[in-house]
Amino acid sequence: MTTRWLTPEEQRAWRAYIAATHLLEDALDRQLQQDAGMPHLYYSILATLSEAPGRQLRMTDLAEALKITRSRLTYAVNRLEKDGLVRRESCRWDKRGSIAVLTDEGMAEVERAAPGHVETVRAALFDHLSEEQVGQLEEICGRITRALEGEDGARPAADDVPWRRRSSPPPCS
């Protein structure tokens, strides 16, 4: 099989994308650590729950919404639970599942952290784009997401999307 090397234009676009996403994630993480004492992932969990009906989601649905592995979500929710920001409840319709529920303290934390977070997102990303570019960014990212999730017709294997992956045991040494 022949390797389909990136063209010079594709290589520049790829490197620009990698640099931008790494710098953006770093800026968001730094701001949230400084202002709210939590990493971006923890804020994203709280914010996602704050927008869900009843401020609760099944853990698998939350992992899917955040595009992360179930084990990574479990670790983060354990921490948020210790801080009193989230609680877990048994799933009434699936005994194997559990529900993450945003507590009143968690909602207050989202409301406290949101203004600084949105200002950082705006300053780091949207202030540098025209209205047309914002639409293009949404279209491009949506297309990539749909392709990687298999919504373009080809269904990914069960473990090809993060929320379906299971943690593998550590290798024996």
Side-chain angles (χ1 to χ4, degrees), residues 24-98:
L24 181 58
E25 186 62 33
D26 180 65
L28 296 173
D29 238 11
R30 278 185 291 118
Q31 178 271 320
L32 285 163
Q33 285 287 3
Q34 179 180 338
D35 294 355
M38 71 176 73
H40 185 220
L41 174 61
Y42 292 13
Y43 175 82
S44 296
I45 292 168
L46 300 178
T48 301
L49 288 172
S50 77
E51 297 168 350
R55 297 189 329 205
Q56 60 184 354
L57 280 173
R58 191 163 179 239
M59 289 285 284
T60 7
D61 296 334
L62 184 54
E64 182 174 353
L66 295 167
K67 310 294 186 233
I68 62 173
T69 62
R70 291 176 289 184
S71 61
R72 186 171 182 208
L73 176 65
T74 298
Y75 180 84
V77 167
N78 284 342
R79 173 64 195 274
L80 292 168
E81 210 170 13
K82 286 178 186 165
D83 293 343
L85 305 177
V86 171
R87 74 174 181 275
R88 260 187 282 204
E89 297 177 355
S90 296
C91 182
R92 292 183 301 276
W93 60 91
D94 180 0
K95 298 298 180 199
R96 297 171 300 155
S98 64

Side-chain angles (χ1 to χ4, degrees), residues 151-165:
E151 294 176 19
D152 62 353
R155 195 72 193 134
D159 63 350
D160 279 355
V161 287
W163 55 92
R164 293 191 190 130
R165 288 186 200 134

Side-chain angles (χ1 to χ4, degrees), residues 70-146:
R70 291 176 289 184
S71 61
R72 186 171 182 208
L73 176 65
T74 298
Y75 180 84
V77 167
N78 284 342
R79 173 64 195 274
L80 292 168
E81 210 170 13
K82 286 178 186 165
D83 293 343
L85 305 177
V86 171
R87 74 174 181 275
R88 260 187 282 204
E89 297 177 355
S90 296
C91 182
R92 292 183 301 276
W93 60 91
D94 180 0
K95 298 298 180 199
R96 297 171 300 155
S98 64
I99 308 287
V101 180
L102 184 67
T103 64
D104 290 341
E105 294 83 4
M107 188 65 189
E109 188 63 28
V110 170
E111 290 170 345
R112 188 176 72 73
H117 175 67
V118 76
E119 184 53 42
T120 301
V121 170
R122 184 168 296 292
L125 180 63
F126 293 109
D127 286 352
H128 306 285
L129 301 176
S130 68
E131 201 173 301
E132 181 182 1
Q133 289 171 319
V134 171
Q136 291 168 343
L137 179 65
E138 178 186 9
E139 181 183 339
I140 291 165
C141 292
R143 182 174 287 189
I144 292 167
T145 299
R146 288 187 300 278

